[in-house]
Amino acid sequence: MLFLPAAALCWLCSALVAMAAELIQDDLTLTRRVGQSVSFRCGNIHLCDVNDYVFWYQKKETFKVILYIDKISAEVYRGYMHPQKDDFSGVNIQNGCELQIEKVKLDHSATYYCSCWKSGLHRTPSPQLTRSPADRFLYQSFSLCGGYSYPIFGSGTKLYVTDEQVVKPVVSVYPAASRVHQEGRSSLLCLASAMFPPLVQFSWKRQKEDGSLEELLPAEGDQLEIRESGRSAAILLIHQCEKSRYKYICYVKHEGGTVEAQTQQDVSPWLQTLLNQVKLLLLLSTVLIVKSLVYCCGLSLLMILRNKGPSTNCTHAD
């Protein structure tokens, strides 16, 4: 009875720890024509400290192991019976490794991930390691699992095999004010469209009053991404005080290069107030127009009925 909860706990803890460190795949997408060569890079492999192997996977409908590379000896092992195993090769580079295809085919279109194993907690923890209840919980959980390693992955690189040209996105920033926000919050919409390949990655910076730029920390804003055919959007909900006067700049990472939004929107509270006033004005205008239409229709109906009255009396008198 205790086995299933323990197994679930192991998987949960492995997933939580794996989120803290991952391999680096800088390329979101790569676009190639049939017959061209392509290389997928994987960095941060110094984190692979359980063994010396870096694995490469191909994802279409499912994940399939292609090969692994020994990061020390550069030996490549292809014994996983991948149907295209002879098309791939692996090499070590400085601070990383590469998966290579000498001549791409249409059926190479897929997403490629690198992965390896990282060690977890030690069996004899230091006093600092188990100082907090959360650390003690993680240590006890890994002890329960009986092992002290977990897999880490890169973010993946999608290969497009096509004759289409790479086109940078058109990026714009708009206020995303669909309703009255709570005090101290504002929202921005960053829209990327008209690009190929369609995959992009959003990030934000804010400009301070002295003109300098700084990265926006996750704790300072919540982001929701929406993707559909031909466009992607990110809605940023910003937590800020009334006195702040930051300008926020949206950056969109794409295979064609990183694109900066052409406009900078000041999300100070007066802007939100102005937008709400405009909405209220539009609502009042709509109500007045509807009332005018109802009044006109009623007046027209009365005129029609009044005109019919004398006509009926004259006929009756004859």
Side-chain angles (χ1 to χ4, degrees):
M1 295 293 293
L2 294 176
F3 176 74
L4 290 178
L9 185 60
C10 292
W11 279 104
L12 175 62
C13 293
S14 297
L16 290 174
V17 178
M19 292 172 60
E22 64 177 18
L23 301 178
I24 295 176
Q25 291 182 254
D26 287 326
D27 296 315
L28 292 174
T29 62
L30 291 172
T31 303
R32 296 291 187 272
R33 291 186 174 89
V34 173
Q36 291 185 326
S37 62
V38 67
S39 298
F40 306 94
R41 292 196 172 191
C42 181
N44 238 17
I45 63 173
H46 64 275
L47 297 174
C48 310
D49 54 4
V50 171
N51 51 44
D52 298 325
Y53 306 144
V54 179
F55 297 84
W56 282 96
Y57 296 83
Q58 181 190 67
K59 181 184 180 295
K60 292 184 178 179
E61 291 81 9
T62 60
F63 279 87
K64 292 183 179 179
V65 186
I66 303 171
L67 52 80
Y68 74 68
I69 307 170
D70 189 314
K71 67 178 185 178
I72 303 299
S73 66
E75 179 185 0
V76 177
Y77 177 77
R78 298 186 182 85
Y80 294 103
M81 303 304 293
H82 191 282
Q84 300 170 328
K85 63 179 182 178
D86 294 332
D87 298 340
F88 296 93
S89 60
V91 296
N92 288 338
I93 58 174
Q94 185 177 6
N95 301 322
C97 65
E98 287 186 353
L99 177 71
Q100 299 178 341
I101 307 176
E102 185 176 353
K103 293 183 178 180
V104 300
K105 307 172 185 176
L106 287 175
D107 57 1
H108 287 141
S109 297
T111 305
Y112 295 85
Y113 295 86
C114 58
S115 174
C116 69
W117 287 84
K118 178 175 174 56
S119 61
L121 302 176
H122 299 287
R123 292 185 179 273
T124 306
S126 64
Q128 290 79 10
L129 183 62
T130 56
R131 179 174 296 171
S132 69
D135 291 335
R136 288 197 298 271
F137 171 76
L138 283 175
Y139 174 73
Q140 291 168 1
S141 301
F142 277 105
S143 298
L144 180 63
C145 294
Y148 300 90
S149 61
Y150 54 91
I152 57 176
F153 288 82
S155 56
T157 299
K158 186 165 186 177
L159 173 64
Y160 290 87
V161 183
T162 177
D163 290 333
E164 289 193 52
Q165 297 289 331
V166 174
V167 179
K168 286 185 178 182
V170 177
V171 182
S172 302
V173 177
Y174 307 96
S178 59
R179 62 179 181 177
V180 178
H181 291 302
Q182 299 177 7
E183 184 178 356
R185 292 189 176 187
S186 300
S187 57
L188 290 176
L189 171 67
C190 184
L191 177 65
S193 59
M195 64 276 190
F196 184 84
L199 291 182
V200 295
Q201 186 178 69
F202 293 94
S203 61
W204 296 83
K205 290 184 180 180
R206 65 184 182 186
Q207 185 179 41
K208 297 189 290 186
E209 293 182 357
D210 61 1
S212 61
L213 295 176
E214 63 181 7
E215 297 286 345
L216 187 65
L217 300 177
E220 297 172 328
D222 300 320
Q223 179 170 285
L224 172 65
E225 293 189 13
I226 304 171
R227 302 182 187 276
E228 60 180 42
S229 178
R231 63 181 65 87
S232 295
I235 299 175
L236 179 68
L237 181 62
I238 307 160
H239 313 283
Q240 64 174 10
C241 62
E242 291 186 3
K243 295 182 179 180
S244 62
R245 291 295 184 271
Y246 292 119
K247 287 186 177 180
Y248 289 79
I249 308 171
C250 177
Y251 294 86
V252 177
K253 181 180 178 181
H254 185 260
E255 182 177 343
T258 299
V259 181
E260 177 183 337
Q262 297 178 357
T263 58
Q264 301 175 353
Q265 294 291 342
D266 188 347
V267 294
S268 53
W270 68 265
L271 176 60
Q272 187 67 55
T273 302
L274 178 61
L275 290 170
N276 293 335
Q277 290 174 349
V278 171
K279 285 183 178 182
L280 181 60
L281 179 61
L282 291 175
L283 179 60
L284 291 175
S285 301
T286 303
V287 172
L288 291 174
I289 291 172
V290 172
K291 289 179 66 176
S292 300
L293 289 174
V294 171
Y295 176 78
C296 291
C297 290
L299 185 61
S300 299
L301 182 59
L302 288 175
M303 294 295 293
I304 292 173
L305 293 176
R306 184 177 179 181
N307 291 334
K308 283 185 177 181
S311 176
T312 304
N313 293 335
C314 291
T315 304
H316 180 71
D318 291 342

